[in-house]
């Protein structure tokens, strides 16, 4: 019995497909409606999200949102 074989069912692949589409869309909407400290910060994040469609949005939500200007 090999424990290292990953058995992807149709549901698992469907969840990954939805995440692969929803994460970039959510990140782009958040970018469009936000203001950032640097002038080129928004452009850089948009490029990273399109070039790395799964890792880019995750990096944006973990790292990039720190540079947003919070309206008070």
């Amino acid at each position: 019995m090999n424990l290292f074989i990953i058995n992807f069912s149709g549901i698992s692949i469907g969840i990954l497909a939805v995440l692969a589409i929803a994460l970039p869309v959510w990140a782009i909407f958040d970018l469009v409606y936000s203001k950032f400290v640097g002038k080129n910060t928004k452009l850089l994040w948009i490029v990273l999200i399109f070039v790395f469609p799964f890792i880019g949005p995750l990096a944006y939500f973990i790292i990039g949102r720190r540079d947003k200007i919070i309206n008070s």
Side-chain angles (χ1 to χ4, degrees):
M1 178 184 248
N2 192 351
L3 298 177
F4 296 106
I5 295 176
I6 299 173
N7 185 9
F8 287 108
S9 65
I11 294 173
S12 301
I13 293 173
I15 291 171
L16 288 174
V18 168
L19 282 175
I21 294 169
L23 277 175
V25 170
W26 183 19
I28 293 296
F29 274 112
D30 191 61
L31 273 166
V32 168
Y33 294 111
S34 300
K35 292 183 180 180
F36 286 86
V37 176
K39 292 182 179 180
N40 294 325
T41 306
K42 192 181 281 194
L43 178 64
L44 174 69
W45 280 112
I46 288 173
V47 169
L48 287 174
I49 289 170
F50 280 116
V51 171
F52 304 105
F54 195 76
I55 306 269
L58 290 176
Y60 169 71
F61 288 122
I62 294 169
I63 300 167
R65 294 179 80 178
R66 296 181 203 161
D67 293 336
K68 287 173 60 171
I69 297 173
I70 299 172
N71 295 333
S72 47

